[in-house]
Amino acid sequence: MKSWISKAAITIALIVALPVLANADTWQIDPMHSNVEFSVQHMMISNVKGQFQKTSGTITVNGSDPTSAKIDATIDASSIDTRVEKRDMHLKSPDFLDVAKYPTITFKSTKVEADGPGKWKMTGDLTLHGVTKPVVLEVESSGTPIHDPMGNTRAGASATTKIKRGDFGLTWNKVLESGGVMVGDEIAISIDVEAIKK
């Protein structure tokens, strides 16, 4: 009896899920036209900006419902670029990202909520330096999808968020003689994504 009920429950679940799966579209993040930038305070007087040059991932969405979107993105931590080689090497070292031990930074979305016309709040799990924490991205659409000259369907969006590096175990710092510290704790992140429908 229990076996029959279990099989019936599985069958019903599959019937309910099939329309959703049938309408699910998959989009591939285009690494050549996507960018992840960050900004952090330096010596309490200015901001240092950088970017990660290698980003990949997929986006799935059911039909035209943006709140159904699920994102699974990966950043190559060793692709960090602040335009200063010596600083980049320090950021890749165990003092900061420790890319030999933690080669990737990942983001997996868990919820998307509407936040006004063409805007959403996307909650997800960010794994950085081996630590996973929830973050909320402020997302804004770049408009309706378009067809490129090669026949691909493309869509774009931008997102911003702020995190505290100390929450992810990135605690290296130096106290300045004038007071304050060498590197700020808050990191502002700006993301531009262009994706191709598969």
Side-chain angles (χ1 to χ4, degrees):
M1 182 66 174
K2 287 183 179 180
S3 175
W4 181 86
I5 293 174
S6 297
K7 289 179 180 179
I10 292 171
T11 301
I12 292 170
L14 287 172
I15 291 172
V16 171
L18 279 174
V20 174
L21 294 174
N23 292 326
D25 294 324
T26 299
W27 299 72
Q28 196 80 33
I29 292 175
D30 180 357
M32 294 180 63
H33 299 97
S34 298
N35 195 40
V36 178
E37 295 182 330
F38 62 89
S39 176
V40 62
Q41 193 174 56
H42 178 245
M43 290 191 176
M44 314 297 290
I45 59 171
S46 65
N47 292 309
V48 168
K49 297 184 178 181
Q51 63 180 324
F52 291 94
Q53 306 228 6
K54 296 180 181 179
T55 304
S56 61
T58 57
I59 304 165
T60 58
V61 60
N62 297 327
S64 58
D65 178 14
T67 62
S68 69
K70 293 186 180 300
I71 295 180
D72 189 342
T74 299
I75 296 170
D76 181 345
S78 68
S79 70
I80 192 168
D81 179 12
T82 65
R83 300 180 303 167
V84 179
E85 185 177 359
K86 185 176 180 180
R87 181 168 58 207
D88 293 344
M89 293 303 295
H90 190 199
L91 291 173
K92 295 176 188 180
S93 78
D95 282 345
F96 286 97
L97 295 175
D98 197 359
V99 299
K101 188 174 182 180
Y102 308 108
T104 61
I105 300 166
T106 62
F107 176 81
K108 298 179 185 295
S109 66
T110 55
K111 181 173 65 174
V112 180
E113 301 172 286
D115 192 37
K119 297 182 179 181
W120 298 271
K121 287 185 182 295
M122 175 176 286
T123 304
D125 293 326
L126 175 66
T127 300
L128 169 63
H129 194 244
V131 178
T132 301
K133 295 281 186 180
V135 299
V136 178
L137 301 179
E138 303 285 343
V139 182
E140 186 169 355
S141 170
S142 299
T144 57
I146 58 94
H147 296 288
D148 67 21
M150 286 73 71
N152 298 308
T153 301
R154 292 176 176 266
S158 58
T160 58
T161 191
K162 291 181 179 180
I163 63 172
K164 292 187 180 297
R165 63 187 183 93
D167 291 344
F168 295 87
L170 299 169
T171 57
W172 183 93
N173 227 325
K174 283 188 177 181
V175 177
L176 303 174
E177 290 183 4
S178 57
V181 292
M182 179 81 72
V183 184
D185 187 39
E186 185 174 83
I187 301 176
I189 299 171
S190 177
I191 305 165
D192 289 292
V193 171
E194 188 171 310
I196 303 172
K197 188 175 181 180
K198 305 309 287 183

